[in-house]
Amino acid sequence: MTQAASSGTAIPIALRRLHRASALLNRALAAVAGVALVAVTFFTVADVVMRFFGRPIAGSFEVIGWLSAVSLALAVGYTQGHRGHVAVTLVTDLLRGRSAAFLDALNSLAALVLFGLVAWVLVRYGQTLQESGSLSETLKVLVYPWVYVVAAGFVSLALTLLLDALVALARVARPQVDAAR
């Protein structure tokens, strides 16, 4: 939980509740991402061992690709919530108070629009694949559920970015709000 959200004094209750919901969602999705990453590891090792014996696992590239996409997409909201992404702060380090908060809000809103669009396009793509009944090349498995899972990860990221923007806007409106987010 962010210091701003945990301080309880300057951040509205609704915003703190949104933060708790977002954090819970992101932790759950990150746990699924972790399981997917472990599955990628085990599947890769099993495929390498089986290839050594001349019996590769059919569809291994497909499964590893899907699980890798899931592990990445479901972890981005959690990573954003913990400020784990690389940030270039050359300009914001020079600013203080409302100016820095305004720039943070602007940055979060721009990212929200971008990743909101990514999520929307993924959902539309999933719908197209679902309507066409598109199957994977090797295993002949429906592809659209994987696309929807990846879209869910970007929806989680968008929710986290919305929260970031709201906290930054609260800092613009009330400079006493802790800027540690």
Side-chain angles (χ1 to χ4, degrees), residues 85-135:
H85 294 117
V86 174
V88 178
T89 60
L90 183 64
V91 175
T92 57
D93 286 347
L94 301 174
L95 302 174
R96 297 283 179 253
R98 286 184 171 167
S99 299
F102 179 76
L103 197 55
D104 284 346
L106 192 62
N107 183 43
S108 294
L109 289 170
L112 170 62
V113 169
L114 173 68
F115 290 109
L117 284 171
V118 168
W120 180 72
V121 168
L122 284 167
V123 168
R124 296 287 301 146
Y125 181 57
Q127 290 171 337
T128 300
L129 292 174
Q130 185 175 6
E131 291 167 2
S132 69
S134 183
L135 301 176

Side-chain angles (χ1 to χ4, degrees), residues 55-75:
R55 305 192 61 101
I57 299 173
S60 62
F61 292 120
E62 287 179 354
V63 173
I64 290 169
W66 295 328
L67 291 172
S68 296
V70 164
S71 67
L72 178 136
L74 295 185

